[in-house]
Amino acid sequence: SDTNIPDPAKARVFAEECAECELTVLTRAGTTTTRKKRSELHGQLPDRNKCLRVVEAHKDFLLFYAGRAAWTAEQGTCYPDLDADPALLIPNSAWATDHCMVTAVLTAV
């Protein structure tokens, strides 16, 4: 789920609210799921907080609802791993979108 929540405190509240609804958040808190630098071509000239600045955030959350099903889920992982490479910006020639892919393995028990 792309929440478009750029603020870490609000992202934590979102995750807490999900937990109250019996949803397990599989992306660890603070995971960087987007990091980009918008150019003038992105139409962000009026907003100097967005134009020509690197912005990063945990905006994508992988949610899991087990319900009565007999499943377990591993913690989610991101590709590309922006936390492993602090200089990596997306999109780029190897990754065409501005958000990471978040995946998890579900296992029947």
Side-chain angles (χ1 to χ4, degrees):
S1 170
D2 175 2
T3 62
N4 204 24
I5 301 173
D7 180 88
K10 290 178 182 174
R12 280 190 296 278
V13 170
F14 175 78
E16 290 166 5
E17 292 294 323
C18 288
E20 287 186 22
C21 296
E22 298 182 38
L23 294 169
T24 303
V25 178
L26 299 177
T27 44
R28 111 188 111 67
T31 301
T32 304
T33 62
T34 183
R35 180 185 301 126
K36 58 191 161 195
K37 183 176 181 180
R38 296 178 183 98
S39 72
E40 293 94 340
L41 294 175
H42 292 100
Q44 300 290 337
L45 281 173
D47 189 344
R48 288 292 167 195
N49 289 323
K50 290 183 176 181
C51 189
L52 300 176
R53 295 180 191 260
V54 173
V55 293
E56 65 179 36
H58 178 189
K59 291 186 177 183
D60 302 274
F61 292 79
L62 187 58
L63 306 176
F64 175 70
Y65 176 70
R68 294 188 180 132
W71 294 92
T72 61
E74 294 180 11
Q75 184 170 328
T77 58
C78 293
Y79 182 84
D81 187 349
L82 299 178
D83 292 327
D85 186 351
L88 182 63
L89 298 175
I90 53 176
N92 57 44
S93 62
W95 193 254
T97 184
D98 65 338
H99 288 259
C100 295
M101 174 177 60
V102 184
T103 63
V105 176
L106 303 179
T107 306
V109 291

